[in-house]
Each structure stands twice: as C-alpha cells, then as structure tokens.
Amino acid sequence: MALRHAVLAALLDGESSGYELAKAFDAGMANFWHALPQQLYLELTKLEKDGLIQGRAVIQETRPNKRLFSVTDAGLAELERFAESSAKPAFIRDDLLVKVRAVDSLSAKAVIEQLEERALIAAAKIDIFERYLHRQRGDVDEQAFLSSGDRIGPYLTCMRGLRFEQETADWCGQTAQILRVRYGVGADA
Amino acid sequence: MALRHAVLAALLDGESSGYELAKAFDAGMANFWHALPQQLYLELTKLEKDGLIQGRAVIQETRPNKRLFSVTDAGLAELERFAESSAKPAFIRDDLLVKVRAVDSLSAKAVIEQLEERALIAAAKIDIFERYLHRQRGDVDEQAFLSSGDRIGPYLTCMRGLRFEQETADWCGQTAQILRVRYGVGADA
DNA sequence: CGTGATTACTCATAATGTTGAGTATGCTCA
DNA sequence: TGAGCATACTCAACATTATGAGTAATCACG
C-alpha cells in the first residue's frame, strides 16, 4: 500500500493524467518514489474505485483523450491516516553496491566503468533537481522560502533527492578513483 | 536475480549459515542490501541447487544443527557475469519522503515525530558503521587501508552506507526543525 | 520453574514490481 | 512520404519481496 500514497501525494500538486504521472515517476524526475506507467494506471483505477481520487475525462481534438485525476476528501483523509501510521525503514538496494562489495574477487574494470557511468547519471539528476529547486523558490532565498512559502513538501523532498544524488556522485567518483589506482586501470575507462 | 548476487557477495566474507546471513541482511547491518530470513533460506537452497554455493552440515550439541555455505567457482563466475552486466539505476523508495511530500496538506505533527525518530535510527546506524570501518582498517588510516588493504569491497560499501545515514540524519533533523517552526509544534514532540 | 530471548530453519500465501506486447492518433523532420 | 517520437492508455504473465504462522531446542533471568 505504498505506491497508493505516493500517487495521492503526487496528485496534491494538482490534477494530473496517468501519462503525466508516469513521466513524474520515471527515472528522471522521481525524487521521492519510482514506478512504471503500468503500475500507475492500475493504481489510478483502484484509487478511483475506492473513491480516494476522482477523474474527469478531457476530450482532445488533436491528441488521444485523457482523464485528469484529483484527490478527494476521502483521499486526503487516507493520506492523513498514512502519515500517522509508522513509517517502515528505508533501505538502499542497489546492484552497484553489490558489485563493489564483491570487487576484490572480480576483475575491477567493469565495476569502475559502472561507477563512472553512475556518477554521470547522478550529475544529470543534480542538475535537474537544482533547476527545480530554483524555480520553486523564485527570487527569495531558501531560508525565506522554507519559512514562508506556501507549499514546501515537494521542495523538501527534492532537497533530499538532491543530496542523495550528490552523495552518489561523490562516492562513485571517489570509489572509481580508488579502484583505478589499486588495479591500474586507466582513467579513460 | 538480485538477492542472488547479494548473497553470493556476502558469502565472500567467508562461510556462513542462513541464520548468520539473515542477521547481516537485517535492518541493523544491511549496508548494501536488505532481505528477510525467509527469502535468504529460499535463495540459499536455490543457489546450492544451481551449484553456485556449497553447503556443509555442522552438527552442534547445544544448538540446532546448521549448514554453512561458501561460494563455488561457478558462483564466482556468476558474480563476474553479474558485475559485467549493466546495473539498473537505484531509486529512493521511502514512506517518509511520501509523507513529507504531502505535509502541506496534512497535520504536521506525526510527520515531524517520524522525522525525528528516523534521525535517531540513522544516528544509531552511523555509530555501528563507524565502528565497523574502524575495526576493518585497524591501525592504518583510511587512505592507506584503501590503497593497500587486501579486501576493501565491504569497506567501500559500508562507507556508502555511512554517508547515506549521515545524509538521512541531517536531512531529517533539518526538515523536522523547519516544520516545527512553521507549524508551531514544540521541540518535545 | 516458567517467561522470554537466541539459535536455526520451513512452508504457504499475499502484495508488489517488472517485462513484454499491444492499440491508436498526430506531429515533426528529413 | 515515411520513420520516429510524443501522447494516452490497456492487458497478461512473470519475478521478486513481504507477511504470517510454525517447529524445536537451549539458555539466562528472576
């Protein structure tokens, strides 16, 4: 029952179609949850059936018709219940860490390459997140925005995503460097 | 096929029973993967059937008998294959982030409490990880250990876990503080 | 002497997440 | 003019993870 609440939380940004949500939950932007389009469409159907969101059809001329969903009062109440229930601990679960853990028994080259690739991906996300944060806070500085802006939830979670990616980029870069030195693999992996 | 490789990587530390692995993959220690005992026992059975690990029974007088597993050559080869295949991106997937994302539409108290609780949990993990790192490197400093120690994979992944938890503790603390100020909830939540 | 924690493991089922294959239309760019 | 991309969504099958309920012995605590 977790995607359920992630979708509700995302819909607080305003009415949205499955397709738009799918983009938001995809690799690029998902700073607080990740899901594939198929899951989202399914979840939206269930949420509507349960009365937690309501959809309205939008007939389009030039594009396929779509349905825009928004959170109902029952949905808000459900989110409130969710927020009060105890959160389960979050874990890192990452293929790349498994590979690094085993690196002493493997040929390091592939691992180094993947660390460097991951660092680049993280750098791209950092860029996206920084732009988003800047756009959100507008002219005021961060402190001022956080104390008086009218919607800070998305900002706060994006901050977390940003720091996570910065940490990822740093660790991947440093780890790749250490392994390169140890195993004499050139920098131009 | 991911737990599979996590188990293989964990067994590189040396022969281990399902029970011991279960502790290592549990909340406290799992700095590179997380799994429940039931999953591990199942996976160990499959790994043995596939010849990637081999078990040997140890008959104990005072405790139930157990089976210790170690990685075979085929298992090592499988890990090598895994390391060379491209890693799928890692995502944060955390209930608490969902709650923070939605906090503007909720009563903030419960969210603040959970942020503070999470910060404490993270602090405890930081402690565990720091001790582990210190024990691993022994007398030499980190740089020296990383360039000449004989097994650095576990050290590197634990570093990642450490930083992740530090980031968690910082962000949770700061976020709780911001929300406390905004919503006038006392520090003694 | 019995309550609860630790060691050591198993089985079944439910919930979640991933993969693959479709359907359909229209827009843009070469 | 046709290849590829964006919009917009659906269905089915599979893989992975999580949950709940047991079994059974020993040990430490009061």
Side-chain angles (χ1 to χ4, degrees):
Chain A
M1 294 288 185
L3 174 58
R4 194 174 193 74
H5 301 108
V7 170
L8 286 172
L11 284 176
L12 294 175
D13 285 348
E15 235 185 10
S16 172
S17 68
Y19 188 74
E20 284 168 321
L21 281 178
K23 275 191 293 183
F25 278 77
D26 189 26
M29 231 295 280
N31 47 23
F32 82 111
W33 202 268
H34 172 257
L36 297 167
Q38 293 93 321
Q39 275 175 275
L40 291 168
Y41 285 115
L42 208 66
E43 198 60 50
L44 285 169
T45 307
K46 286 192 223 156
L47 280 165
E48 195 184 22
K49 204 187 62 196
D50 296 345
L52 305 183
I53 61 174
Q54 66 187 128
R56 90 190 155 82
V58 174
I59 283 89
Q60 301 187 114
E61 306 277 281
T62 77
R63 303 253 155 237
N65 298 339
K66 63 180 172 182
R67 279 157 58 62
L68 294 178
F69 296 94
S70 48
V71 180
T72 62
D73 288 345
L76 256 182
E78 172 61 26
L79 261 181
E80 186 71 54
R81 250 194 311 285
F82 170 65
E84 251 140 66
S85 72
S86 77
K88 46 185 80 157
F91 299 108
I92 292 185
R93 209 171 240 176
D94 185 352
D95 278 5
L96 193 45
L97 280 182
V98 175
K99 294 175 188 185
V100 171
R101 168 89 177 208
V103 75
D104 303 297
S105 310
L106 305 172
S107 62
K109 188 156 174 291
V111 177
I112 292 168
E113 281 169 21
Q114 289 179 39
L115 283 164
E116 283 166 349
E117 193 196 329
R118 180 65 67 84
L120 289 176
I121 294 169
K125 284 206 186 185
I126 288 168
D127 206 57
I128 291 168
F129 292 167
E130 274 175 347
R131 280 166 206 273
Y132 172 83
L133 292 177
H134 196 222
R135 200 164 57 244
Q136 286 300 300
R137 69 174 174 265
D139 296 329
V140 297
D141 69 14
E142 188 160 274
Q143 270 248 307
F145 175 76
L146 289 173
S147 57
S148 59
D150 62 302
R151 231 172 99 59
I152 62 168
Y155 194 96
L156 290 167
T157 52
C158 187
M159 276 177 67
R160 173 73 170 129
L162 172 62
R163 293 185 188 189
F164 177 77
E165 294 301 337
Q166 281 167 340
E167 210 35 83
T168 301
D170 287 356
W171 178 81
C172 287
Q174 286 161 24
T175 300
Q177 171 64 22
I178 289 162
L179 294 175
R180 251 191 267 119
V181 171
R182 269 179 80 95
Y183 297 104
V185 182
D188 54 318
Chain B
M1 296 290 186
L3 174 58
R4 194 176 193 71
H5 301 107
V7 170
L8 286 171
L11 285 176
L12 294 175
D13 285 347
E15 230 185 15
S16 171
S17 68
Y19 188 75
E20 283 168 322
L21 280 178
K23 276 190 295 184
F25 277 77
D26 189 26
M29 233 294 281
N31 47 23
F32 82 111
W33 201 267
H34 172 255
L36 298 166
Q38 294 94 317
Q39 280 174 270
L40 291 167
Y41 285 114
L42 208 68
E43 199 60 51
L44 286 168
T45 306
K46 287 194 223 154
L47 280 165
E48 195 183 23
K49 204 187 63 196
D50 296 346
L52 304 183
I53 61 174
Q54 66 185 124
R56 90 190 155 83
V58 174
I59 284 90
Q60 301 187 116
E61 306 277 284
T62 77
R63 301 255 153 236
N65 297 339
K66 63 181 172 182
R67 279 158 59 62
L68 295 178
F69 297 93
S70 49
V71 180
T72 62
D73 288 346
L76 256 181
E78 172 60 27
L79 261 181
E80 186 71 54
R81 252 194 309 285
F82 169 67
E84 251 140 65
S85 73
S86 78
K88 47 186 78 157
F91 299 109
I92 292 186
R93 209 170 239 178
D94 184 351
D95 278 4
L96 194 45
L97 280 182
V98 176
K99 294 175 187 184
V100 171
R101 169 88 178 208
V103 76
D104 303 297
S105 310
L106 304 173
S107 60
K109 188 157 173 289
V111 178
I112 292 169
E113 280 169 22
Q114 288 180 41
L115 282 164
E116 284 166 349
E117 192 196 330
R118 180 65 67 83
L120 289 176
I121 294 169
K125 283 206 186 185
I126 287 168
D127 205 57
I128 291 168
F129 292 167
E130 274 176 346
R131 281 165 206 274
Y132 173 83
L133 292 176
H134 196 224
R135 200 165 55 245
Q136 286 300 300
R137 68 174 174 264
D139 295 329
V140 298
D141 69 14
E142 188 160 272
Q143 271 249 307
F145 174 76
L146 288 173
S147 58
S148 59
D150 62 301
R151 230 172 99 58
I152 61 167
Y155 194 97
L156 290 168
T157 51
C158 186
M159 276 177 67
R160 173 74 171 127
L162 174 63
R163 292 184 188 191
F164 177 77
E165 295 300 338
Q166 281 168 341
E167 209 36 82
T168 301
D170 286 356
W171 179 81
C172 287
Q174 286 160 24
T175 301
Q177 170 65 21
I178 289 162
L179 294 176
R180 252 192 265 119
V181 171
R182 269 177 81 96
Y183 297 104
V185 182
D188 54 319

